[in-house]
Amino acid sequence: MKPVLRLLYGYFFAVPWLRWLSLAGVATLVLSALYLLFIAQPFAVQGLAVAGLMALFFGTALMPLMVGRLARSKQAALLPWGRARILLSALLTTAIVAFPLPLLGVIALMTVAPKATLEAAFYGNGNSLAQFLTTTFFWQMYVVCAWQCTSLYIVLWFATHERGVAGMLKSLLIPVAVLFVPPRFVRIDPTISLAWPLSLLLATWFLIVAYLLWWPRIAARLTRRFGGITATTSKGGRVASEVDLILELDRPWRFALAQSVPIAVAALFIREPAAWLFYLTIFGVIAGARAGRAAMLSRTLWLRSDADRRALFDRVEKAFWTHTGYQLAALIALMVAVGTFIDLPTRFLGAGIPLILLSGTTTMYLGLAMTRGIRFGDAVSAVALMLAAMSIALLAAKESTPLAAIAGIEAALAVATLALRALAVRRWSALDWSICRR
Amino acid sequence: MQAYVVARDLGKSFGPKCVLRDLDFTVEPGDVVGVLGKNGAGKTTLLEIMLGFSPASHGRVSVFGQESFALSAASKVRIGFVPQQDELLAPLTARDQVATVAAFYPNWDAPLIERLCNAWELDLDERIQSMSVGQRQKLSILLAMGHRPDLLVLDEPVASLDPIARRRFLEQIVEVTAEADRAVVFSSHIVSDVERLASRIWIVQDGALRWQGGLDALKESVVRIRIRNAGAAEALPFRALHVTRSAGHLSAVVDDWSEARHAALCSQFGEAIEVEPLSLEDIFLALHR
Amino acid sequence: MFQLNPHSGVPIYRQLCEQVRRMIAGGQLPAGAALPSVRDLAIEHAVNPMTISKAYSLLEAEGLLERHRGRPMTVASRPRLQAGPSQRLNALNSELDRLVLAARQLDLTPTEVIKALREKWEAADAGIRRRTGSR
């Protein structure tokens, strides 16, 4: 048990920065539990609890990366019970992070919710309401929560570990599932069965275990049979320019096509315009996000060309415009297709197309401005930008918002983009490659 | 005493590509084995199969009497391994990294690590992602030594250490081997280190063991001979590697030198023979030419 | 005390044996003198301890060293093989081989080399006399 506890300590508290986030999360959650128990005002607590959960989750954000690295390392093969203990530590982390939400939920329902409403919704098959809440309801919520945490950790793992189309595709598919599958399973309904969410959770963990433990062997066997799938050079067609190759932008159509898979999957689930706009904005943001690596990759380019730093920026900017352009164009085409397919209002397209274009370009310039690794300020503005884009999406989809207001907000976003471009130009003219490592 | 590692007829292939073949070797307690070979000769694969990271395609290899591919936890506690590329957790500090690994071993020697950190000038409070490659390598070596393994396997441990750190590392390995019943297997391109430390040498060439045995035996059996005023028609009475002739002088490297050979040469060429011993580096180069 | 060169073609244990033999023959290591422990010598030169103990065992078998329980090895009080001039000369063999090789490559005759050797010897003698005289 000692090694597992030590690993848990590592995930929660050993990384500077994140350590304080975890601690703040724990403190906030304890505070909101106390608040619920003694003051009993759930609506004031809601925001606090969500903030605490987010803090705790992001405090352990590097857990997937560490587990992935450890579990697949050669050293783990030689640690006594190494892989089993590492996986157990990952499972326990998820179990711990998933725990506060159902706990707070049960406390909130027990202490504050108007009894009558609950009794009405509750069929009461001989069990008392309290008993139901502390057992079936708690476990329902816990299992769903654990599954959501697991999925989000997987997203984080893909985001921190894999790059390229495959990583992007995988990390995009999961939010769809997280956002739209599980809430069906949490209801205040004594007849609901735990079997579904539980088997979903178990299946997910089975896949994780299989991936970490057996995938390398299966992959080795597959490559043996089918030969390497690596580096198939593009034969014929457009030959990518050196700039694109160095910046890893040589196959824009692959990224553009990759988007269509999760969107097609989502088209089966999502009907509300607000959700669609929200979802597509995320894609727009992601389309621009690859620019975050531009500074690091551009060193080779600088060594090979006679461009000075300012001229280098122009070339890189042009390459990214082409690349992002492909993706955004594909995204808008998909948007129109989806709009016709499920009959969304034209207002949705009118507000949506500029929003997607803007969120893509804004993140692109934000990425280009990140020339010094991901620092605190950059990280905060990136998160703020994403949140802003998403809330604009939700706002724009509301029928009650006047179109002029949306236009105003989008104009503000355009100004922000120009400001970011100016910042990027200034930073690139004094680009220091020794500090733009990740 | 039982041998720590026994390999019989061991082979490994990835698809049609044969990486290792026909390997027979043992590692006894007290051995220090230096593994030499060109890039891509199969050194790393050899060490990895020996420790059971991947299954052998052919033959078998066992460590502490157990099939390598299915080592028990009890055996793993007795093995230390330094991979060629470190597998440290970049976001942690060195201290946390050490503590994480230490928790897995019941017999972790914390004072030893403390002492080595001081001797090797390693700052435990530094975060791994800001360490230099050399510092990370030192830390990897420490992590493999903390539980005092009986079998220590190092895959190019000194490639990026400075001369001072390398010397400290060598001294530490000497201390390890001065204790009874511990064995070390290490691969390195720094032949002089192998020459100092190794009691046995494995030379890996094209996936096979070209030579294995004691270092002294190797040095005594591979020599260069020079024969003055050898006629162009005169040939050596045995097979030799790269014979060169210039201005009536004949020079050759012999890879199975013996007193009998010397006597045979003397009777053929008289006193005109010189036998020059070769350093390990020269031997390595000669075997690869 | 010893000079061990791992890069030379001569195995380290032989270098050590040769040097100990020479120092005993030349009187630098008198009977009863203690030798450094295997471990110390190994760490000092960063060489494998087995190499050192192999050399010591060989010298013990030759009767030059004596092993004691719990104490360092010492030079044998009465070496079983009294080092006669021919044996001592034997110990110089490899050095002579090298000298002959160098001389041949320089195309020198034996007479010239012997003359130069004698001059060196006399100069060294003079040096020793000066040092002992000034003390």
Side-chain angles (χ1 to χ4, degrees):
Chain A
M1 209 53 206
K2 191 180 154 206
V4 179
L5 291 177
R6 184 61 229 192
L7 284 169
L8 283 178
Y9 170 81
Y11 306 146
F12 279 92
F13 301 119
V15 184
W17 271 111
L18 297 184
R19 172 189 306 158
W20 302 113
L21 210 54
S22 313
L23 282 174
V26 171
T28 317
L29 286 170
V30 171
L31 199 69
S32 35
L34 292 176
Y35 199 79
L36 267 181
L37 280 174
F38 295 108
I39 306 176
Q41 274 187 328
F43 298 107
V45 169
Q46 212 173 26
L48 201 62
V50 168
L53 274 175
M54 298 274 279
L56 193 60
F57 179 77
F58 282 107
T60 55
L62 286 181
M63 184 277 276
L65 185 70
M66 291 207 244
V67 168
R69 192 158 163 75
L70 270 173
R72 298 179 77 172
S73 70
K74 288 163 191 160
Q75 231 144 21
L78 285 177
L79 290 172
W81 303 111
R83 291 203 173 112
R85 282 163 159 174
I86 290 161
L87 282 169
L88 182 61
S89 72
L91 186 62
L92 279 178
T93 312
T94 317
I96 291 169
V97 173
F99 185 68
L101 185 65
L103 187 69
L104 289 175
V106 169
I107 294 177
L109 283 174
M110 300 260 295
T111 53
V112 277
K115 274 260 152 62
T117 342
L118 274 181
E119 299 282 5
F122 179 67
Y123 310 138
N125 294 353
N127 293 329
S128 78
L129 178 64
Q131 201 186 344
F132 167 73
L133 283 181
T134 47
T135 54
T136 319
F137 179 74
F138 174 80
W139 286 113
Q140 262 180 40
M141 230 173 135
Y142 189 52
V143 167
V144 169
C145 230
W147 188 76
Q148 276 181 316
C149 283
T150 309
S151 319
L152 290 173
Y153 278 129
I154 296 175
V155 174
L156 281 179
W157 188 60
F158 285 133
T160 47
H161 172 259
E162 276 187 57
R163 298 207 182 86
V165 186
M168 189 184 90
L169 195 61
K170 282 181 248 175
S171 50
L172 284 180
L173 270 171
I174 290 159
V176 184
V178 177
L179 288 173
F180 299 101
V181 179
R184 307 162 173 228
F185 299 117
V186 185
R187 267 179 287 161
I188 302 181
D189 179 350
T191 58
I192 198 139
S193 130
L194 206 61
W196 251 104
L198 194 61
S199 43
L200 199 60
L201 181 68
L202 292 179
T204 312
W205 272 93
F206 177 77
L207 285 179
I208 293 174
V209 171
Y211 182 70
L212 288 179
L213 296 190
W214 305 317
W215 177 247
R217 273 179 217 175
I218 299 170
R221 204 155 292 167
L222 286 181
T223 32
R224 195 180 307 163
R225 179 150 305 168
F226 300 109
I229 332 164
T230 47
T232 46
T233 41
S234 48
K235 283 172 198 156
R238 198 175 71 93
V239 177
S241 78
E242 191 189 26
V243 180
D244 288 345
L245 277 174
I246 289 173
L247 295 173
E248 299 177 3
L249 301 177
D250 50 316
R251 286 174 207 154
W253 47 269
R254 274 174 78 176
F255 282 81
L257 281 181
Q259 293 175 334
S260 62
V261 181
I263 289 176
V265 173
L268 302 175
F269 290 102
I270 311 178
R271 288 285 175 272
E272 309 80 39
W276 265 113
L277 206 51
F278 181 80
Y279 188 56
L280 291 171
T281 313
I282 298 183
F283 276 83
V285 166
I286 290 171
R290 280 169 64 81
R293 309 216 310 136
M296 194 172 67
L297 295 171
S298 66
R299 184 173 61 176
T300 325
L301 201 59
W302 183 71
L303 286 172
R304 289 195 194 178
S305 67
D306 53 356
D308 63 358
R309 284 175 162 76
R310 182 64 184 75
L312 188 65
F313 177 78
D314 291 339
R315 283 193 199 179
V316 171
E317 188 188 21
K318 191 168 150 254
F320 270 98
W321 262 113
T322 319
H323 182 79
T324 317
Y326 268 88
Q327 264 183 286
L328 292 180
L331 203 55
I332 286 167
L334 283 165
M335 190 180 187
V336 174
V338 166
T340 351
F341 176 60
I342 51 177
D343 241 359
L344 294 174
T346 37
R347 173 195 164 81
F348 162 79
L349 289 180
I353 291 175
L355 179 63
I356 287 175
L357 286 177
L358 277 170
S359 52
T361 38
T362 318
T363 30
M364 188 181 95
Y365 279 113
L366 182 74
L368 286 176
M370 284 193 192
T371 57
R372 298 181 294 185
I374 298 174
R375 297 234 175 141
F376 185 66
D378 300 308
V380 166
S381 40
V383 171
L385 186 72
M386 276 189 80
L387 291 179
M390 289 169 196
S391 37
I392 296 171
L394 291 180
L395 198 67
K398 257 190 205 162
E399 289 292 338
S400 55
T401 324
L403 275 176
I406 300 169
I409 294 171
E410 286 177 346
L413 205 56
V415 172
T417 310
L418 288 176
L420 279 171
R421 183 176 185 275
L423 179 68
V425 167
R426 212 182 66 208
R427 285 191 176 172
W428 275 68
S429 1
L431 187 53
D432 177 352
W433 278 289
S434 70
I435 55 172
C436 59
R437 277 181 295 187
R438 257 168 77 99
Chain B
M1 189 152 183
Q2 191 196 14
Y4 282 169
V5 181
V6 180
R8 289 286 163 260
D9 197 19
L10 188 65
K12 175 78 180 175
S13 38
F14 296 109
K17 195 179 171 218
C18 185
V19 184
L20 292 174
R21 57 197 156 82
D22 309 331
L23 300 179
D24 283 283
F25 56 80
T26 55
V27 179
E28 307 273 345
D31 276 352
V32 181
V33 182
V35 185
L36 294 176
K38 288 197 297 192
N39 293 329
K43 299 187 296 292
T44 298
T45 315
L46 190 157
L47 296 182
E48 289 182 355
I49 296 211
M50 187 174 101
L51 294 178
F53 297 150
S54 63
S57 316
H58 196 261
R60 47 185 298 156
V61 56
S62 62
V63 177
F64 302 127
Q66 266 177 339
E67 196 71 31
S68 284
F69 195 61
L71 281 180
S72 69
S75 296
K76 289 178 182 174
V77 173
R78 298 172 64 194
I79 302 175
F81 175 64
V82 179
Q84 195 168 12
Q85 280 185 321
D86 71 71
E87 297 174 328
L88 304 169
L89 297 174
L92 299 187
T93 60
R95 190 181 301 283
D96 282 321
Q97 169 79 64
V98 170
T100 305
V101 174
F104 279 86
Y105 295 101
N107 54 341
W108 190 261
D109 189 347
L112 172 76
I113 296 302
E114 192 89 357
R115 190 163 59 76
L116 287 181
C117 277
N118 284 333
W120 295 15
E121 292 165 353
L122 202 62
D123 178 12
L124 277 176
D125 290 315
E126 194 178 347
R127 283 177 77 189
I128 290 167
Q129 62 193 23
S130 61
M131 284 182 166
S132 70
V133 184
Q135 298 288 83
R136 291 171 72 133
Q137 201 157 33
K138 287 186 202 167
L139 186 57
S140 302
I141 297 171
L142 283 192
L143 289 177
M145 288 199 177
H147 54 294
R148 301 186 149 278
D150 287 331
L151 175 64
L152 182 59
V153 180
L154 310 104
D155 194 359
E156 292 195 34
V158 295
S160 39
L161 297 188
D162 62 54
I164 299 167
R166 234 175 66 215
R167 184 65 183 231
R168 295 263 154 75
F169 165 76
L170 295 181
E171 286 167 4
Q172 186 52 39
I173 297 289
V174 169
E175 274 195 37
V176 167
T177 49
E179 287 172 43
D181 302 341
R182 297 181 72 177
V184 180
V185 179
F186 73 111
S187 73
S188 180
H189 287 303
I190 302 182
V191 183
S192 62
D193 288 350
V194 177
E195 214 159 3
R196 283 177 183 280
L197 281 188
S199 58
R200 296 170 61 78
I201 301 284
W202 297 348
I203 295 180
V204 186
Q205 196 175 15
D206 300 330
L209 278 179
R210 171 75 201 272
W211 208 94
Q212 60 167 323
L215 172 61
D216 297 331
L218 176 64
K219 282 191 174 182
E220 281 159 8
S221 65
V222 184
V223 294
R224 175 175 290 131
I225 51 172
R226 290 178 210 281
I227 300 169
R228 268 171 281 112
N229 307 322
E234 277 185 296
L236 290 171
F238 44 78
R239 194 185 57 84
L241 305 171
H242 21 269
V243 183
T244 54
R245 291 166 192 271
S246 66
H249 291 229
L250 185 150
S251 153
V253 172
V254 183
D255 66 351
D256 47 358
W257 186 243
S258 61
E259 285 303 317
R261 291 263 154 102
H262 197 174
L265 272 192
C266 282
S267 63
Q268 187 178 347
F269 295 98
E271 281 298 298
I273 313 165
E274 282 160 17
V275 180
E276 184 195 340
L278 293 174
S279 72
L280 185 54
E281 184 150 351
D282 291 333
I283 293 174
F284 182 76
L285 291 175
L287 292 182
H288 280 85
R289 218 171 301 154
Chain C
M1 186 169 180
F2 303 109
Q3 281 202 346
L4 302 181
N5 176 11
H7 316 293
S8 118
V10 184
I12 298 173
Y13 84 98
R14 285 219 184 157
Q15 296 179 29
L16 185 61
C17 281
E18 222 164 273
Q19 288 179 33
V20 172
R21 268 188 222 123
R22 265 187 245 155
M23 286 166 97
I24 291 175
Q28 282 196 47
L29 278 174
L35 278 103
S37 78
V38 170
R39 196 187 140 92
D40 289 349
L41 207 55
I43 291 179
E44 185 191 334
H45 292 278
V47 296
N48 193 313
M50 301 232 293
T51 313
I52 309 282
S53 59
K54 183 175 176 183
Y56 279 5
S57 304
L58 263 171
L59 291 166
E60 189 193 2
E62 284 175 25
L64 290 176
L65 298 183
E66 278 174 357
R67 198 181 288 275
H68 308 278
R69 210 166 249 283
R71 278 195 294 128
M73 292 193 98
T74 55
V75 177
S77 45
R78 264 187 304 122
R80 259 172 265 156
L81 293 170
Q82 208 71 40
S86 66
Q87 256 111 16
R88 281 185 287 171
L89 208 51
N90 245 350
L92 206 58
N93 228 347
S94 61
E95 306 294 325
L96 289 177
D97 283 343
R98 225 166 298 157
L99 180 65
V100 171
L101 174 70
R104 273 189 206 283
Q105 285 168 342
L106 290 167
D107 202 19
L108 295 170
T109 62
T111 342
E112 283 165 323
V113 174
I114 289 168
K115 183 165 166 264
L117 186 66
R118 185 166 292 132
E119 278 163 13
K120 276 271 180 222
W121 196 281
E122 279 157 9
D125 273 351
I128 291 169
R129 249 179 276 125
R130 247 202 322 274
R131 257 183 286 145
T132 45
S134 67
R135 207 184 272 165

